[in-house]
Amino acid sequence: MQQKSQADRRAAAGLKELQQALQQSLDECRQLKEKLAKTEAELNSSVEELFQVKMEREQCQTEIRDLQDQLSEMHDELDSAKRAAADGEKDALMADMMQLKVEMQEVVIAKEELEELLRRRERELAALKGALKDEVAAHDQEVDKMKEQYEKEISRLQTSLEEAKQVIILPSLSSSRSAACHRAA
């Protein structure tokens, strides 16, 4: 009887430990899910920023094309002005053309900066994706490991419980047999 009680207490203690380990695992899983959600939100934010940079880049390219068209028109006007031989008009056209050239250089610089920003964001996005993938894989491995440990512990406790039952049943059977033998005698 005392052995049964001890075996029950050990089984109950083992079960309680397993439940605590499971709760801890569930808490860790919840924390990892929260971290995953946060990382996904950051990733979505980076993707949106990347999209915005691409839109700005396209807009700059359109502006560059417009400025190139204007520059071409200015060249045509300059050629016409050369033929007209009006020095005042030539100077004004030259000043306009120089101004246009400066503006175009500024746009080209802005475009290069945007492209560099885009490349940097793409690298950050790739790094975030890699980190997220590694974190998810590590989490999956840990959950699998804890499941396997939990299943082993449950199996061990079930075996202990069965052994405890056998220990309790065998003495009670032998004592009832000996009592029956004494009555028969």
Side-chain angles (χ1 to χ4, degrees), residues 49-65:
E49 287 179 23
L50 187 62
F51 179 74
Q52 186 65 33
V53 169
K54 284 184 178 181
M55 293 295 289
E56 290 173 5
R57 178 181 174 192
E58 289 175 11
Q59 186 177 359
C60 285
Q61 287 174 340
T62 303
E63 289 177 14
I64 288 171
R65 282 192 296 274

Side-chain angles (χ1 to χ4, degrees), residues 64-113:
I64 288 171
R65 282 192 296 274
D66 290 345
L67 286 173
Q68 286 172 337
D69 291 344
Q70 289 178 11
L71 183 60
S72 179
E73 289 174 12
M74 292 293 285
H75 276 294
D76 293 343
E77 289 177 16
L78 184 58
D79 289 342
S80 297
K82 284 179 183 177
R83 284 187 231 105
D87 288 342
E89 287 180 23
K90 279 184 188 180
D91 291 341
L93 283 174
M94 287 297 282
D96 288 346
M97 196 162 141
M98 290 302 291
Q99 179 65 29
L100 191 59
K101 184 177 179 182
V102 168
E103 289 174 7
M104 189 167 170
Q105 287 173 342
E106 290 172 355
V107 169
V108 167
I109 290 170
K111 177 190 171 200
E112 290 171 356
E113 289 173 353

Side-chain angles (χ1 to χ4, degrees), residues 8-23:
D8 287 347
R9 277 183 284 195
R10 280 191 300 239
L15 187 57
K16 186 173 182 180
E17 286 176 18
L18 274 178
Q19 287 173 337
Q20 288 173 344
L22 178 61
Q23 184 60 44

Side-chain angles (χ1 to χ4, degrees), residues 14 24 28 36 40 47 63 80 84 113 120 136 149 152 154 168-169 177-178 183:
Q24 185 178 7
E28 289 175 12
L36 178 64
E40 284 176 345
V47 168
E63 289 177 14
S80 297
E113 289 173 353
R120 201 169 342 122
V136 167
Q149 183 180 359
K152 284 180 182 177
I154 289 289
I168 292 167
I169 290 171
R177 283 185 188 158
S178 65
R183 276 190 240 134

